[in-house]
Amino acid sequence: MKVKRFKGIIAKIMAFLCLFSMGLAGLAVETHAADATLLNTYGRTYGYSGTCINLYQLNDANQLKILKKHFNSITLENEMKPDALLGNSAKLISVSEAKSKGYYIPDGYSESKVPQLNFSTIDKVMKICSQNGLGMRAHTLVWHSQTPSWFFRSNYSGNSGFVNQKTMDARLEMYVKTVMNHVYSNQYGGCVYAWDVANEVIHAKNSGWESVYGNNRTNASYVKKAFKYAYETLEYYKLTNSVKLFYNDYNTYQEVQNITTLVNYINKDKKICAGVGMQTHLGVNNPNVNTYIKALKSFLNSGFEVQITELDIKNSSDSSMASYAYDLFTEINKIKKNGGKITGITWWGLSDQTTWIKDSKPLLFSSPGQPKQAYNKVIQAYTKVIGEPGSAQSQTQPQPQPQPGNGQNNGQNNGQSDKKDDKKDDKKDNNSGQSSSGKTNNNATANIPDGWYYLKNTLSQKYLSVKNDTAKKVTNVQIEKGTGSKGQKWYVQNKGNGYITLKSALGDFMLDVASGEDKDGANIQIYDAYGHDAQQFTVKTTKTDGVYTIVTKTSNGKRALDVYNHETSAGTNVCQWTFSGKPNQEWIFEPTQNGSSKNDSHKSDSSKKDTDKKDTDKKDTDKKDTDKKDTEKKDSSKKTVDVSYSVNSWGSGYTVSIKLKNNTNKTVKDWSLKVKKSKVNIGDGWNMKFKTSGDYYVITPVDWNKSIEKGKSIEIGFIGNGKIDNSVKFEVTY
């Protein structure tokens, strides 16, 4: 009996230890899950973890901080579509004026006028993306649903007949190349790594494109031409290896053969379409996971690259969505692990608060930063198939580096006037060294725009300087107090593939690793500007925004510019040393106006305030000029909150984009809009809720845009059915 009792006690102890160890194991799993984000899992493995966003959200520091935790890519939902750039009605300018603005005017363009394009939102978004290490999918160039009808008609007039194919060919080339030129000649355009060149062609209805070119969706000539023009632009900017062109469509699991036929037609003469953007608007009941996965495999087996786009999942409950998402991503991760060329996953919204789907909660977050069951299951599907989350080092992809060639006219001038103003703004941005969060991805490749800079070491607070300002090759480089001399000024030029050169303002010399040696202690000097490997460097981010390390190409990124022996005194030599990430290897790029000897970056605080004030005044002037040119219809019945709107109609439907600007002297809260049902027929909306009340629709905010701060604006919109009345009045209350 004693033996049996002893054995029983031992058994109970072993059972307790087993349960205890299982509890510890469970705790470890929970800890790993807590550390996991979409960025260090899916972003790490697929290259891009993306979300749908708008400018208003990007300007919200809290939402931007949350976005950067989980995503390294954004797609604009509506603000880069043709109607957003072209407007509700044509604003025509002369061909000569268009050329002066940098528009691409093809040789076959026979018309005297060109529609003016509005790039203001795109420019702001690209700047935010570049400054926050975010990539951008450009969505979209060719789409029937949100391209104004006047774009296809004679004299760009909505009441005229449709133009012939030759005229439309020239308009298409003008539009595609002008938009892409604007992006890649802009100093922030390197954030755009992919384009949805054509969208939903297989499902086109009441299409202006088909009115001109005919109903031939699987061999649509205008689609092939659009890809050709887009690819020629990438060739011009030497981006064919770093930027990809996609055909994007929905219900792809039902249209596998048609989409495959269309992409093969586009690529018949030369592969210019990289593959398919699979819009992934799913529901827990349709399609089933096997149907979707079968379509995905079919596109991959056809040799297409796939980016999963516009992902959301309609559901009846959080648990049903979680179960479906787990099964779906388990299979997707298996394909990726086995070498499937899936290069990005984009969820269509930051949270359920901003989904476009009415009366559903189809996203991973209930509100920004608040994960649901489905989020945990998506992470679990990753760790089950791929493994544990990766490190921060691989979370941010190198951004494309446009370098104009000689094959395209007009484009090289586009965006230059904006660039000058942006550099003034950047001086303030880059000198701060901190974002709203104070953190950034550590050791990811950074994008420093071309231009003149001082390089300040964070440990010593002294500047990278050519010894004695001597304009002679093999002169050492050291740290010195800031004087603004030519020997402290360096011109950053992006060479592509993440490399830069640093040219001295002293003359035709570049920063150089002596003899191109790959060893610790190799001297850093200036030498004749050849731009070879010894003169190429990669800028890496650190844990602090605005602070960088500079690693050398000769060491394959293993060694960095280093102030010798952690010294801080003036005259200390700068050399190459194994990367440590310590402050003697950290540098701040302070923009300066040019390579002259004027001491423009080391002004007193009062001078800097004056400069900042001038910059602010200039921004205000530019904004007033933009507002003056804006011809959107305005509701003048309210003097305190302006309501402006634009309409894009395609005959059987339309979209209405609405902007509310708060011109009061205080924050406006809990606003609402009323519009007569006899004027519009709302089917669905974005960034808003709506209900009917008698003869009116009542539009109300979602959680994140309930308040409009003084001087700020928000943007909402809806999709309507049928035809819209010529005059619409929105009544705002708050």
Side-chain angles (χ1 to χ4, degrees):
M1 292 292 293
K2 290 183 179 179
V3 172
K4 289 182 179 179
R5 186 179 300 167
F6 180 74
K7 288 182 177 179
I9 293 171
I10 293 297
K12 289 179 180 179
I13 292 173
M14 293 301 293
F16 172 79
L17 291 174
C18 182
L19 288 171
F20 182 73
S21 64
M22 288 174 65
L24 289 178
L27 180 61
V29 170
E30 290 178 5
T31 302
H32 284 304
D35 293 338
T37 66
L38 294 178
L39 186 57
N40 66 17
T41 55
Y42 290 90
R44 170 176 176 259
T45 298
Y46 291 80
Y48 291 100
S49 170
T51 188
C52 166
I53 207 77
N54 59 40
L55 178 58
Y56 179 88
Q57 292 171 278
L58 287 171
N59 279 327
D60 184 303
N62 185 55
Q63 292 192 66
L64 179 60
K65 178 181 178 181
I66 292 167
L67 186 155
K68 289 167 64 177
K69 179 178 178 180
H70 291 281
F71 305 105
N72 61 357
S73 170
I74 64 100
T75 305
L76 288 173
E77 184 175 14
N78 289 291
E79 295 161 302
M80 203 170 184
K81 290 173 180 173
D83 62 343
L85 274 61
L86 291 165
N88 184 44
S89 59
K91 305 178 182 74
L92 299 180
I93 57 177
S94 67
V95 167
S96 60
E97 184 180 353
K99 287 182 177 180
S100 71
K101 291 178 177 290
Y103 287 31
Y104 180 91
I105 308 299
D107 293 338
Y109 193 90
S110 59
E111 301 175 89
S112 61
K113 299 287 186 179
V114 175
Q116 183 171 331
L117 304 179
N118 182 0
F119 293 113
S120 60
T121 296
I122 294 177
D123 290 345
K124 293 172 185 175
V125 171
M126 290 192 301
K127 182 175 181 180
I128 293 170
C129 287
S130 292
Q131 292 179 340
N132 288 277
L134 298 170
M136 180 176 174
R137 295 189 83 257
H139 177 76
T140 175
L141 291 169
V142 173
W143 191 28
H144 64 283
S145 184
Q146 284 183 234
T147 303
S149 179
W150 59 258
F151 187 61
F152 305 98
R153 298 177 182 270
S154 297
N155 302 315
Y156 295 106
S157 173
N159 297 322
S160 302
F162 290 100
V163 299
N164 58 36
Q165 290 187 19
K166 182 178 180 181
T167 300
M168 200 65 223
D169 284 351
R171 290 185 180 185
L172 176 60
E173 185 174 8
M174 176 276 296
Y175 181 80
V176 169
K177 290 187 176 179
T178 296
V179 173
M180 294 183 71
N181 278 344
H182 181 86
V183 167
Y184 290 125
S185 61
N186 187 289
Q187 70 180 109
Y188 302 113
C191 65
V192 179
Y193 67 90
W195 293 78
D196 288 333
V197 175
N199 192 53
E200 300 177 6
V201 173
I202 299 300
H203 296 92
K205 292 180 180 179
N206 301 306
S207 168
W209 294 108
E210 293 190 349
S211 296
V212 175
Y213 291 95
N215 186 348
N216 49 354
R217 297 175 188 174
T218 58
N219 61 339
S221 62
Y222 68 93
V223 175
K224 183 169 184 174
K225 290 170 184 174
F227 273 93
K228 175 178 177 291
Y229 302 147
Y231 194 82
E232 287 173 352
T233 307
L234 296 185
E235 288 181 319
Y236 173 74
Y237 287 100
K238 301 178 182 178
L239 292 172
T240 53
N241 292 327
S242 56
V243 177
K244 301 296 179 66
L245 308 178
F246 289 90
Y247 172 71
N248 193 61
D249 212 329
Y250 66 91
N251 289 356
T252 49
Y253 51 88
Q254 296 177 343
E255 301 287 355
V256 172
Q257 187 54 58
N258 285 336
I259 292 173
T260 301
T261 300
L262 175 58
V263 175
N264 285 337
Y265 166 72
I266 295 167
N267 289 336
K268 182 178 179 181
D269 303 313
K270 179 181 181 180
K271 187 169 183 178
I272 54 180
C273 175
V276 178
M278 288 184 71
Q279 289 187 31
T280 308
H281 299 297
L282 306 176
V284 295
N285 297 318
N286 185 47
N288 62 55
V289 170
N290 289 338
T291 299
Y292 180 88
I293 294 299
K294 182 179 178 181
L296 173 58
K297 288 180 177 179
S298 180
F299 291 134
L300 294 170
N301 291 338
S302 295
F304 303 157
E305 181 176 331
V306 172
Q307 292 191 345
I308 294 172
T309 65
E310 306 190 25
L311 174 56
D312 43 37
I313 304 171
K314 289 184 179 180
N315 60 84
S316 57
S317 65
D318 285 354
S319 59
S320 66
M321 179 184 171
S323 177
Y324 184 93
Y326 176 78
D327 293 342
L328 176 69
F329 276 95
T330 296
E331 296 305 315
I332 292 173
N333 287 325
K334 287 178 182 178
I335 295 172
K336 181 63 177 178
K337 187 174 182 179
N338 290 329
K341 196 171 186 181
I342 310 170
T343 56
I345 297 176
T346 297
W347 288 86
W348 209 233
L350 195 58
S351 75
D352 289 337
Q353 291 183 348
T354 52
T355 178
W356 69 289
I357 301 175
K358 183 182 177 182
D359 299 328
S360 186
K361 299 178 179 180
L363 298 171
L364 296 182
F365 300 90
S366 57
S367 61
Q370 296 300 314
K372 296 159 48 177
Q373 293 180 47
Y375 171 85
N376 296 327
K377 285 295 185 180
V378 167
I379 296 296
Q380 185 180 340
Y382 178 92
T383 56
K384 172 186 175 182
V385 177
I386 305 294
E388 293 301 318
S391 66
Q393 295 184 6
S394 58
Q395 292 175 13
T396 300
Q397 297 292 310
Q399 295 185 340
Q401 302 296 333
Q403 298 183 56
N406 299 313
Q408 193 158 321
N409 68 336
N410 300 335
Q412 60 268 40
N413 295 323
N414 192 33
Q416 296 302 315
S417 60
D418 294 337
K419 194 177 294 186
K420 293 175 183 177
D421 294 339
D422 285 339
K423 284 184 178 178
K424 291 180 182 179
D425 298 340
D426 289 343
K427 185 169 184 176
K428 184 166 54 180
D429 294 338
N430 286 346
N431 283 347
S432 68
Q434 292 287 337
S435 68
S436 59
S437 64
K439 300 291 182 183
T440 188
N441 291 333
N442 192 14
N443 203 32
T445 300
N447 178 31
I448 305 297
D450 288 4
W452 289 101
Y453 296 87
Y454 299 108
L455 274 69
K456 182 166 72 174
N457 177 250
T458 61
L459 178 65
S460 64
Q461 294 295 298
K462 295 182 175 62
Y463 291 82
L464 187 71
S465 309
V466 179
K467 185 177 180 179
N468 298 327
D469 283 352
T470 302
K472 183 179 180 181
K473 66 181 181 182
V474 198
T475 303
N476 288 352
V477 174
Q478 54 198 32
I479 55 169
E480 297 286 354
K481 291 182 180 179
T483 63
S485 67
K486 286 187 176 182
Q488 293 183 345
K489 294 187 178 185
W490 305 91
Y491 188 83
V492 170
Q493 183 175 9
N494 285 275
K495 306 299 292 182
N497 297 322
Y499 293 108
I500 65 167
T501 56
L502 289 156
K503 187 174 181 180
S504 172
L506 291 169
D508 200 22
F509 306 102
M510 283 182 175
L511 197 69
D512 180 283
V513 180
S515 303
E517 290 185 304
D518 180 14
K519 68 177 185 179
D520 285 345
N523 198 45
I524 303 298
Q525 59 185 17
I526 59 169
Y527 200 82
D528 293 338
Y530 295 122
H532 49 57
D533 285 0
Q535 296 177 351
Q536 293 190 37
F537 307 87
T538 298
V539 181
K540 296 285 188 177
T541 58
T542 67
K543 62 184 178 181
T544 304
D545 282 351
V547 177
Y548 306 94
T549 56
I550 304 170
V551 297
T552 62
K553 187 174 183 179
T554 56
S555 67
N556 291 319
K558 296 177 183 177
R559 295 180 172 85
L561 295 194
D562 180 289
V563 179
Y564 184 71
N565 202 30
H566 304 268
E567 293 286 342
T568 59
S569 58
T572 302
N573 201 45
V574 175
C575 61
Q576 169 187 259
W577 208 273
T578 298
F579 174 77
S580 66
K582 294 182 179 179
N584 65 310
Q585 293 184 349
E586 292 182 342
W587 305 87
I588 296 172
F589 286 74
E590 295 183 351
T592 179
Q593 295 299 313
N594 51 47
S596 69
S597 58
K598 184 180 178 182
N599 186 2
D600 50 13
S601 269
H602 302 285
K603 297 177 181 177
S604 67
D605 290 341
S606 60
S607 296
K608 186 178 187 305
K609 289 177 183 176
D610 291 341
T611 302
D612 288 347
K613 184 178 184 303
K614 290 177 182 178
D615 289 344
T616 302
D617 291 343
K618 187 178 188 314
K619 288 184 199 174
D620 292 341
T621 301
D622 291 343
K623 186 177 185 307
K624 289 177 183 177
D625 290 342
T626 301
D627 291 342
K628 186 177 179 181
K629 294 177 182 178
D630 189 357
T631 60
E632 289 180 327
K633 302 173 185 177
K634 289 194 173 182
D635 180 354
S636 59
S637 63
K638 295 290 181 182
K639 300 298 183 181
T640 53
V641 175
D642 280 344
V643 181
S644 61
Y645 69 94
S646 61
V647 178
N648 175 48
S649 175
W650 54 88
S652 62
Y654 51 88
T655 59
V656 179
S657 299
I658 305 169
K659 178 184 288 186
L660 284 77
K661 184 176 181 182
N662 179 9
N663 290 322
T664 71
N665 58 2
K666 61 182 180 180
T667 298
V668 168
K669 297 181 179 180
D670 295 323
W671 56 267
S672 66
L673 288 178
K674 287 175 61 178
V675 58
K676 285 188 175 181
K677 291 160 63 177
S678 60
K679 300 294 185 180
V680 298
N681 182 16
I682 301 178
D684 212 336
W686 60 89
N687 302 338
M688 55 169 260
K689 301 175 183 176
F690 70 94
K691 63 181 180 180
T692 59
S693 177
D695 295 332
Y696 289 87
Y697 287 107
V698 178
I699 297 171
T700 55
V702 293
D703 289 343
W704 61 266
N705 62 8
K706 283 183 178 179
S707 298
I708 312 174
E709 295 179 12
K710 180 178 69 173
K712 300 292 185 178
S713 62
I714 63 167
E715 296 180 9
I716 62 175
F718 59 83
I719 300 172
N721 301 314
K723 294 185 178 181
I724 188 169
D725 195 271
N726 291 330
S727 176
V728 181
K729 182 178 180 180
F730 294 94
E731 299 178 17
V732 60
T733 57
Y734 52 91

